Amino acid sequence: MTEKTLSDYQELKALVNFHNYRYHVLDAPIISDLEYDRLLNELKRIEAGHPDWVTSDSPTQRAGAKPADRFEKIRHPRSILSLANAFGRDDARSWFERVKKIDDRVEKAKFVVEPKIDGLSVVLHYRNGLFVQGATRGDGEIGEDITSNLRTIRAIPLHIPVTQSSNLPVPSYLVVRGEAFIPNKEFEELNRMLEEAGEKTYLNPRNTAAGSLRQLDPQLTASRPLTLLVYQIVHSEGGTIPTSQWEVLEYLKALGFPVTDVAKRFDNLDSAIAYTETWNKGREKLAYEADGMVIKIDDLTLAADLGFTGKDPRGAIAFKFPAHEVTTTLRDIGVAVGRTGVLTPYAMLEPVEIGGVVVERATLHNFDFIAEKDIRVGDRVLVKRAGEVIPYVIGPVVDARSGNEQTFKPPTKCPACGQAVEHFEGEVAWYCVNAACPAQLVRNIEHFVSRGAMNITGLGIKIVEQLIATGLVRDVADLFTLNKDQLLELEGFAVKKAENLLGALNQAKAQDLNRLIAALGIHGVGEVMAGDLSRNFGDLSTLSKASAEELQQIEGVGPNIAESIVDWFSRPGNQNVLKKLKAAGVDPKGQSSVTSNQSAALNGLTFVVTGTLPTLTRDGVKELIESNGGKVTDSISKKTSYLVLGENPGSKAEKAKSLDVRIIDEDGLRALIG
Ligand code: IVH
C-alpha cells in the first residue's frame, strides 16, 4: 500500500466529512454505505500509522471519550433565552400591537416563521471552524458540558464550513444554537427494536432525546437516532454575521449546519400567522414533534433593540399548537366488548383538555399493552390525542407514583354476559365468543343480516336496536319467529314495512349454507372459508360435530381456526341458537358454490377416477363430472369425496380405503347425478 502524505490524509478526512454531511444533513448521499465505510476504514488505517496527525474534526473521533462521572458546568457567552407563548391568532396580534408601540419600525417588519421543535436546546461552540464544545441550555446562563455526547450526532459538523470548496468566511469564534431531537419515524423504529428485544420502550421522542444526551456514556448517545436543526447565532467574534434571521438561516445552511426547510419569510404578520396555522393542521407531516411555530421579526437589529420581558426576547413569539399530550390520573380501567367479541380495555380518566377537547376516555389498546407498560389504576398517565386518532394512553409517569396504585388484572369473564373469555393462539386479544352475549348482539345481528352473509334487507341498526330493547330478539334465530303484530308495535313500522321485512326473512330461510356459516360470525371464518366448510360438511349439524383434525383437512384451515370452530359449536348458547334456527326452518344443505351452476348435482364434490370404466372414456367421465359441477383430481387425499373405480385399478383403490374415501363405480356416479 502506498504511503500517504499529511495532505492526502487531510483531503480524505474532508471527503469523509463531506459524505457524512450529504447523508446526515442533506439526507442526500451520493455514495453507498459500503463506499463510505471503505473511505472511513482507509482513514482509520492512515491514522493508525500517524496518531499525531489525528485532529478532533476527524470523523473517527465522534464517539470515543470515556464515560465521565458528571457533567462540567459551562457559562454561556450570552443568555440563552426562551420565548413568550401565543395561543392563537389574537394572542399573536396583541404581541404585534405591543411591540409596535415600543418601536414603530415594527409596523413594516418582515417575519420569519420556523417550526418550534420539541427537543432539547443545545449550544454549539466553534473556534476557527472546529467544533470545540457543546452544552445544554441549563438555566439559560449556565449549562452542562455535553460535548462528548453531542459529537456522536452525525448531523453536527465537526468542522465548518463543511464543504471544502466553500470560501465562506467563518468568525474565529462562533456559537450557534439549535434543537436536538429524535425524528418520529426513528423513534418508532427504536421502540419497535426495544420491544423485539424484550426491553422497555420509551414514552416519547422528546424525553428520549433529552435522556440520551444527559447521560454519561457517549456510546449510548451514539446508539440513539438523534439529529438536530440549528436556528440561531448566539455569539460571534472575529468576523461578520448576517443581520436578519432569514440570512442567518441561509448562512448556517451554507456553513453545513442542518437547517429547517419549513421556514418561510413574510412581509406582514397576517400571512405569517396564516402559514403558522397551516402547520397546525398539517403538523403530522413534519418529521418530528413540533409544539408550535416560532414567529420571529426578521430584522435582528430591530429585534435586539426591542429588548426583553424577563427571559423572553420581545422580537419573537412562540405560536403554540394545542397540546397533543397531557398527563392526568387514571381513575379506573373499563372493558368494552367490541364488534367481534373482542374485549378492549379503556382508560377512565380524570377529565383533561387535550387540543381543545375534554377527554375522559382513552384506549389502552389491549391487555398485553397494560402489562408491558405496567399501567396501574391510580397512575398519572401520559395521554395523547392527535388528529383524528382516538385518544390513547402512552404510558405511566412512574416517578409520580405514591405507592397506592393498583395493578390491573384482565377479566376472565365477559363483563357483559359473564361467560368465560377465550384467547386464540397467536393473537393478543381476548374474546367473548358467546353469540348471545348482549353486548355483541347488535353487532352480531348486523353481521348476520349483512350483504355478504344472509343478505336480509330492511333490518337497519335502529330496527335491530329496537328488537333487542323490546326483548323480541335475544339471538339471531329469534329473527325468524317474528310476526306481523310484534313488528307493528315497533316505532316506524306500518303494515307494508312489516310485510316486507317478514318477506325478506322468509326468503333468507332458503339462503345457501355457506352464507349461513359466514353469518354466524365464527372467529376466523370469512366468506371464502364458509364456502369451503359448506362444501365439505354439507349441513350445520355435520359441521357442528366435526373434530379439529377433520377440519384441518380443509385447505386454509389451520389449527387455530379449527379450534375456534370447534369451540364455537361446543358452546351451549351457540348450540341453542342452531337448534332454534333449525326449528324455524333455517337448515340449508351445502350444495352452494358462488361461481358455478348452483343446482349442479356434484357441486362441491371432488372425484378421482381409476381403472377402465364400462362405457365412459377418461375424457368422457371427466366431462360428465365437471358438467355437473364436480371436480376431478389426480391423486387421492382426505379431501377426495369419491373414488370412481373401474377395471384393473392401480394402487388408488388401496389408498382410498385407507383414507376412508367412498368408492363408487360408473353406475354409482350416474346415480349421484340422478
Ligand atoms: S428561538 C431568542 N427557534 O423553544 C431565541 N426556539 O420556549 C429564542 N425552540 O428553549 C429561541 N425550535 O429550545 C427558537 N426554531 C426555533 C425553536 C426554538 C425550538 C425551543 C428552544 C427554546 C424554546 C422556547
Side-chain angles (χ1 to χ4, degrees):
M1 222 166 277
T2 51
E3 195 44 45
K4 299 287 181 189
T5 65
L6 177 59
S7 89
D8 290 338
Y9 167 69
Q10 283 166 340
E11 216 170 273
L12 182 60
K13 185 171 69 179
L15 186 67
V16 177
N17 274 333
F18 170 72
H19 287 303
N20 175 80
Y21 163 74
R22 296 276 332 182
Y23 188 100
H24 292 282
V25 177
L26 298 186
D27 199 10
I30 48 174
I31 58 170
S32 68
D33 291 2
L34 190 79
E35 287 169 286
Y36 180 85
D37 287 343
R38 249 189 234 142
L39 294 177
L40 190 66
N41 284 336
E42 170 66 1
L43 197 72
K44 283 183 188 159
R45 196 189 62 80
I46 301 175
E47 287 183 349
H50 300 276
D52 52 318
W53 287 356
V54 184
T55 49
S56 69
D57 62 343
S58 166
T60 61
Q61 304 299 302
R62 283 207 178 257
K66 273 207 335 261
D69 54 11
R70 66 186 185 93
F71 294 120
E72 298 293 332
K73 300 280 183 219
I74 297 182
R75 177 169 287 279
H76 300 303
R78 289 263 166 89
S79 298
I80 300 301
L81 302 167
S82 102
L83 289 170
N85 290 328
F87 299 95
R89 53 169 66 202
D90 292 347
D91 262 11
R93 289 220 181 87
S94 38
W95 161 71
F96 182 56
E97 295 305 322
R98 276 198 311 276
V99 288
K100 224 159 47 177
K101 281 194 197 113
I102 298 172
D103 194 319
D104 47 16
R105 282 178 294 170
V106 172
E107 178 79 53
K108 293 212 167 58
K110 290 184 177 155
F111 299 88
V112 173
V113 178
E114 299 165 19
K116 185 173 179 307
I117 302 150
D118 205 3
L120 186 76
S121 203
V122 295
V123 182
L124 311 173
H125 298 238
Y126 288 81
R127 286 199 187 269
N128 302 318
L130 270 189
F131 175 57
V132 289
Q133 195 166 52
T136 62
R137 176 172 182 271
D139 64 1
E141 303 301 328
I142 292 171
E144 285 172 327
D145 181 349
I146 55 165
T147 313
S148 309
N149 288 343
L150 286 171
R151 290 180 67 83
T152 69
I153 302 181
R154 308 276 205 111
I156 295 182
L158 296 177
H159 189 271
I160 47 169
V162 170
T163 37
Q164 275 173 304
S165 54
S166 169
N167 291 319
L168 261 190
V170 184
S172 55
Y173 183 34
L174 183 73
V175 183
V176 302
R177 174 180 181 185
E179 201 78 1
F181 61 95
I182 296 178
N184 293 336
K185 231 169 68 207
E186 278 78 0
F187 176 73
E188 280 161 25
E189 176 65 16
L190 174 67
N191 262 353
R192 204 185 54 71
M193 275 165 25
L194 288 171
E195 206 172 315
E196 255 172 34
E199 284 175 46
K200 243 185 124 186
T201 53
Y202 290 105
L203 285 187
N204 60 27
R206 205 212 90 86
N207 291 358
T208 315
S212 307
L213 281 167
R214 293 198 60 256
Q215 58 76 47
L216 294 163
D217 178 5
Q219 300 290 349
L220 199 141
T221 316
S223 74
R224 299 283 180 252
L226 286 154
T227 185
L228 103 162
L229 289 170
V230 300
Y231 50 79
Q232 191 193 2
I233 296 177
V234 173
H235 179 70
S236 78
E237 287 171 21
T240 50
I241 53 163
T243 56
S244 84
Q245 177 62 13
W246 188 249
E247 284 158 4
V248 163
L249 293 180
E250 292 199 319
Y251 175 68
L252 290 171
K253 198 193 268 180
L255 288 178
F257 286 103
V259 174
T260 174
D261 53 9
V262 162
K264 268 196 173 167
R265 180 157 65 169
F266 297 94
D267 285 339
N268 57 65
L269 184 70
D270 280 347
S271 30
I273 291 176
Y275 181 64
T276 299
E277 285 174 342
T278 63
W279 278 111
N280 179 24
K281 290 194 198 80
R283 63 202 278 202
E284 255 81 59
K285 285 191 222 107
L286 291 171
Y288 39 78
E289 297 277 346
D291 57 347
M293 300 294 274
V294 189
I295 302 181
K296 299 176 176 177
I297 290 180
D298 187 37
D299 179 345
L300 293 175
T301 319
L302 168 57
D305 288 349
L306 288 170
F308 320 94
T309 40
K311 274 194 191 299
D312 306 330
R314 289 205 183 87
I317 191 125
F319 191 110
K320 295 289 285 259
F321 295 151
H324 275 170
E325 281 178 31
V326 298
T327 59
T328 185
T329 303
L330 178 64
R331 285 177 169 168
D332 206 350
I333 294 177
V335 177
V337 188
R339 224 169 78 72
T340 49
V342 65
L343 302 190
T344 320
Y346 61 90
M348 298 154 91
L349 304 166
E350 185 91 44
V352 65
E353 197 202 298
I354 316 181
V357 172
V358 177
V359 173
E360 287 182 73
R361 294 252 196 284
T363 177
L364 283 161
H365 306 293
N366 54 57
F367 298 114
D368 279 9
F369 176 78
I370 299 175
E372 265 160 31
K373 297 275 174 185
D374 185 20
I375 297 168
R376 305 178 190 177
V377 174
D379 261 337
R380 288 295 290 179
V381 286
L382 195 57
V383 181
K384 183 160 183 170
R385 176 185 163 271
E388 298 306 307
V389 183
I390 304 168
Y392 60 95
V393 173
I394 299 178
V397 185
V398 176
D399 290 344
R401 279 195 179 142
S402 68
N404 294 330
E405 296 76 14
Q406 302 289 318
T407 311
F408 175 76
K409 286 199 192 62
T412 51
K413 295 204 164 83
C414 169
C417 71
Q419 288 230 9
V421 296
E422 288 276 326
H423 192 243
F424 298 104
E425 188 77 30
E427 288 189 34
V428 286
W430 286 85
Y431 288 87
C432 169
V433 293
N434 170 20
C437 170
Q440 288 177 67
L441 196 51
V442 177
R443 300 250 154 68
N444 249 322
I445 294 178
E446 253 190 304
H447 172 71
F448 188 83
V449 304
S450 66
R451 222 168 339 132
M454 294 294 271
N455 194 17
I456 302 170
T457 48
L459 264 177
I461 180 128
K462 285 267 142 48
I463 299 174
V464 173
E465 279 171 353
Q466 277 194 73
L467 290 169
I468 293 170
T470 51
L472 288 173
V473 168
R474 291 198 181 81
D475 55 46
V476 292
D478 287 339
L479 291 171
F480 297 98
T481 52
L482 288 170
N483 63 43
K484 198 148 111 189
D485 291 342
Q486 289 170 330
L487 290 181
L488 286 175
E489 277 177 28
L490 300 179
E491 213 183 292
F493 266 92
V495 178
K496 185 88 190 126
K497 190 168 168 181
E499 282 174 352
N500 284 347
L501 178 55
L502 290 173
L505 284 163
N506 207 30
Q507 262 183 17
K509 289 181 185 173
Q511 199 56 281
D512 291 338
L513 176 63
N514 58 332
R515 285 180 169 272
L516 179 59
I517 295 173
L520 296 175
I522 303 168
H523 185 74
V525 179
E527 285 174 42
V528 175
M529 184 158 300
D532 293 339
L533 292 173
S534 151
R535 280 189 289 280
N536 279 276
F537 292 95
D539 59 38
L540 270 188
S541 120
T542 316
L543 174 60
S544 75
K545 290 182 201 112
S547 68
E549 290 74 40
E550 284 170 305
L551 288 162
Q552 282 183 63
Q553 297 302 314
I554 295 163
E555 203 174 316
V557 179
N560 295 343
I561 293 179
E563 194 188 310
S564 150
I565 297 171
V566 170
D567 179 78
W568 195 93
F569 283 105
S570 73
R571 294 190 169 248
N574 297 342
Q575 288 281 359
N576 188 39
V577 171
L578 295 180
K579 219 190 286 163
K580 283 167 73 178
L581 281 171
K582 194 168 179 173
V586 189
D587 187 22
K589 300 288 174 243
Q591 27 98 313
S592 63
S593 162
V594 211
T595 47
S596 63
N597 181 2
Q598 301 217 352
S599 57
L602 305 183
N603 218 322
L605 300 177
T606 310
F607 296 81
V608 174
V609 183
T610 185
T612 314
L613 300 178
T615 69
L616 290 166
T617 61
R618 258 316 145 83
D619 284 342
V621 69
K622 192 161 187 261
E623 204 185 303
L624 180 68
I625 292 171
E626 285 177 352
S627 64
N628 283 285
K631 226 164 76 181
V632 179
T633 62
D634 284 335
S635 59
I636 294 197
S637 75
K638 279 203 163 178
K639 288 177 210 165
T640 310
S641 318
Y642 293 95
L643 175 72
V644 184
L645 189 67
E647 293 274 341
N648 304 322
S651 60
K652 283 181 180 154
E654 289 309 312
K655 184 144 189 221
K657 274 183 205 144
S658 73
L659 290 174
D660 264 335
V661 171
R662 283 165 284 189
I663 301 176
I664 49 173
D665 57 14
E666 188 181 312
D667 284 343
L669 176 65
R670 291 188 191 278
L672 272 184
I673 296 165

